[in-house]
Structure formats: C-alpha cells, structure tokens
Amino acid sequence: MKKVLALVLAVAMMATLAFAVEYKEPGSSLKLGATSFEDDKGNAVPVSDVDFNEDNFVISTKKITKGASYVDSIAFNDDDQLVIKFKQDYTLTTSKVNVTISELAVKAKKTIKDDDTTILKKNDEYTYANGKIEIELGWDKSTVAVTDADAEINLTAGDALYVEYDKDETATTGSNNGSDITVSYGDPASYMTTEIDFEGEAYAEGRVYDGDEVFYGFNMDADTDILKAYPDAEMRFFEIEGNGFPTTLSFELYAAEDEYVYAVKDGKLTNSGLKWDEDVYAWTGKVRSAVQYVISDIELDTTAVDTGDGDTTTENPATGANDVVGVATALAVVSLVAAGAVSLKK
C-alpha cells in the first residue's frame, strides 16, 4: 500500500513539474537543450554523435495556444539549443501575461550514419519531453527605500531600470531586473533633470516631469548582418533600449574623432545625426527614443547593404556627421545587456 501511495505521489509530482509555470521578463529567452526532447519511445536526441542545430534538425511542430503575439522567435542558436525568444514590451509594468506552447517538436533533416550504424534517421521526430511550456511574462519589481533623491543608481549587466517620477512620494529604488524606482522631487518643482551614465560608453541628460514612467537600458550586442556586410571593418555597437524618453535628451557617445558613427534604422545603416564635439571628446546630438548606433574604424558604403533577407538598401553614404537623427521604434526588441547609472538632480 505504501509503495502504491509513493508511486501516486511521484506521478503527481512529475505532472506538477511538467506543467509548472516559469517566470520570464520581456525580451528574455528560454533555452532548451537536446535532452529536453525525446521520440515516441522515450529516447533522447543522440547528442553524443549529432549536433542539435539547424543543420540537422528543423522545427516540425509549434503550437502556441496562448500569448503568441509575445513570442518573437523560436530558432536554434550556435550552442546546440532551441531558443524561445520573447518580445520586449515595456508596457507590462503593472500586469503580466501568460504564454503557453502546448506542443513543440523537431524533426531530423537527414540520415546520419557511423559506418553501417544509423545514428539519426531522416524525419525522426523528437517532442518536448515535459509536454506544454507555460510562461508568465512580465516585470518583477521590488523596492527598497533610499534617503537621497539625488542618489546615483548603479545596476549590473542585464538589469532594466524602471523609474516612476513622483514629486509627492519618498524616493525608492531597487537592484533587481525591472526594479521599481519611485523618485521624489524633494520639493514642489515643475521638472527635474535626469542624468544617465551608460557605464562610461555614453551619457544623456534631460528633463523629466511628475508622473513620467521610463525604462532605462542599453546593450552592445553585435548585429551579425551588419558584420557580414562589412568584413573589412572593425565595428562596435551601442543600442539604447526603453519606452521612449519624456523629453529630448542631450546625448554623448564616446567614440574617437577619427571613427565613423552610423545609426541603424529598419535593419539598415543610415546617418547618425551625431557630430563630433572636441570639448567633451564625444559624438553629440539629441535622442528621444530607442536607437542603435554602429561605430566603425573605416567609412562604410551604405548604398548596398545586405540585410540578410535578400533585400538591398539604397541609403546615401554616411560620413558620421549630419543633421538626420536615426531612431528606432520606442518598443525596440533586444535582450538587455547592461543598464546605466541614473543620477537625479532637482
């Protein structure tokens, strides 16, 4: 009787684990290895002999029964993983949404043999072993009080800084992803000046007003398509992420005078709108919303850029100094790599 009861409890626990809801933040990813998939006989993917990648497998079944609009992509990466990428959404500050993938399976693209032994057979299918995938998507916000409204806030790589400006509340801050920060003006004032230090890579300053809610963040992820289009160039990338700034901010991007700075718009290089300023030794201009910059050691020809999807751009060559501000959409999708320090002054 005890053995039967133990078996029933074990089965119930397995079922609970299989359908446990996992928490994720917008813009994050869920990575599944080959061991997460098995065939109809319970056999896992033979990873010791076969790479779990797009060369050997293709997604054969993908049923998203809830929250499909929040799934950005499901694809293999270079580390033998199937990655579910969730869209960035800076509007989920007070609510969360559920994403359910009821079925996910991959199929072998070809037969692979070792001498006379068949390791993988074409069209062999492997299904996600735990059944459906349930994700709760939203920002997990926590608070801790600070005593100075002018406090400098430093976050580690991967953090997203959410700030709510309220001139009648006590300043609070936190250090977790999606930290909830309510900033006090300290006294009745029409506005406050916010300074954002993007970990020494860039700097921005501008006004914020009572009731403004802002996400601050940036990443330096490389754009593979742009790298492939310009194999002779040494490039680095800088992207501001967020839901848009309340007012236009003065912006400084720290690159050398002899470097070339471009903006990325709709996946294509265009003029950055930044100009070299000898006084601050930076490329300066204005920003209002999310924007991605490319910094190159050589001038790039933007008249024929392969975007990776078969299209070719027809932009005018950029010099790195012009009056056109290149900005991406306020809800730009990107994984956060690092967020800057925010200094608030009355």
Side-chain angles (χ1 to χ4, degrees):
M1 182 65 180
K2 290 183 178 180
K3 290 183 178 180
V4 173
L5 180 59
L7 179 60
V8 171
L9 291 174
V11 171
M13 181 175 293
M14 290 178 63
T16 300
L17 292 174
F19 300 111
V21 176
E22 184 172 353
Y23 168 77
K24 286 289 182 180
E25 291 187 346
S28 64
S29 299
L30 176 63
K31 299 178 179 179
L32 305 175
T35 55
S36 299
F37 295 83
E38 61 183 29
D39 60 19
D40 55 2
K41 297 180 180 179
N43 300 316
V45 177
V47 290
S48 58
D49 301 298
V50 177
D51 292 331
F52 191 61
N53 58 29
E54 62 183 6
D55 293 334
N56 298 322
F57 295 91
V58 64
I59 299 174
S60 58
T61 304
K62 180 180 62 177
K63 294 182 180 179
I64 306 176
T65 54
K66 186 181 295 184
S69 62
Y70 291 94
V71 177
D72 184 48
S73 62
I74 302 179
F76 289 98
N77 63 9
D78 295 331
D79 297 320
D80 289 348
Q81 296 170 322
L82 188 62
V83 180
I84 303 171
K85 172 71 175 178
F86 301 101
K87 290 183 180 180
Q88 185 59 273
D89 191 333
Y90 292 104
T91 65
L92 297 176
T93 57
T94 58
S95 62
K96 296 181 180 180
V97 296
N98 293 322
V99 177
T100 301
I101 303 175
S102 58
E103 189 175 350
L104 184 63
V106 298
K107 182 181 293 185
K109 296 172 67 175
K110 57 189 175 182
T111 297
I112 298 178
K113 292 185 176 182
D114 184 6
D115 294 330
D116 295 331
T117 303
T118 299
I119 300 171
L120 186 70
K121 187 177 180 181
K122 184 178 180 179
N123 293 328
D124 279 352
E125 191 168 53
Y126 296 84
T127 304
Y128 181 65
N130 289 337
K132 65 181 178 180
I133 301 171
E134 289 190 306
I135 301 294
E136 186 178 49
L137 203 65
W139 293 101
D140 186 16
K141 300 184 293 186
S142 60
T143 61
V144 57
V146 295
T147 57
D148 188 356
D150 294 333
E152 185 174 78
I153 304 166
N154 294 285
L155 301 182
T156 58
D159 285 339
L161 177 60
Y162 168 71
V163 179
E164 179 182 352
Y165 296 94
D166 190 334
K167 67 182 181 64
D168 298 321
E169 297 293 333
T170 302
T172 59
T173 184
S175 59
N176 293 331
N177 283 3
S179 299
D180 187 358
I181 299 133
T182 303
V183 181
S184 172
Y185 283 69
D187 57 46
S190 59
Y191 66 89
M192 178 184 288
T193 298
T194 298
E195 299 179 22
I196 307 103
D197 178 11
F198 297 97
E199 289 193 345
E201 300 291 338
Y203 169 86
E205 178 180 314
R207 291 182 179 183
V208 291
Y209 296 86
D210 182 32
D212 288 339
E213 298 182 25
V214 187
F215 268 100
Y216 295 104
F218 79 99
N219 73 75
M220 300 180 69
D221 296 343
D223 187 314
T224 304
D225 290 334
I226 294 177
L227 288 175
K228 291 179 179 179
Y230 304 100
D232 297 329
E234 293 291 333
M235 290 182 285
R236 62 186 192 274
F237 298 79
F238 179 90
E239 181 174 10
I240 296 175
E241 299 177 310
N243 58 335
F245 301 114
T247 59
T248 299
L249 304 182
S250 299
F251 179 69
E252 300 172 2
L253 179 64
Y254 299 122
E257 182 179 7
D258 60 355
E259 292 183 294
Y260 297 85
V261 180
Y262 304 88
V264 180
K265 186 174 184 180
D266 298 328
K268 303 173 184 179
L269 288 186
T270 185
N271 294 328
S272 69
L274 303 180
K275 296 182 178 180
W276 173 255
D277 189 325
E278 183 68 32
D279 293 335
V280 296
Y281 205 78
W283 292 84
T284 64
K286 303 289 185 180
V287 294
R288 182 63 186 266
S289 59
V291 58
Q292 182 182 17
Y293 295 105
V294 176
I295 305 165
S296 172
D297 66 331
I298 61 175
E299 186 173 5
L300 304 178
D301 178 9
T302 61
T303 58
V305 179
D306 184 0
T307 61
D309 56 7
D311 293 334
T312 302
T313 72
T314 57
E315 303 293 337
N316 292 326
T319 62
N322 56 78
D323 295 323
V324 179
V325 177
V327 296
T329 176
L331 296 178
V333 179
V334 40
S335 294
L336 295 176
V337 170
V342 176
S343 176
L344 304 170
K345 295 183 178 180
K346 291 185 287 184

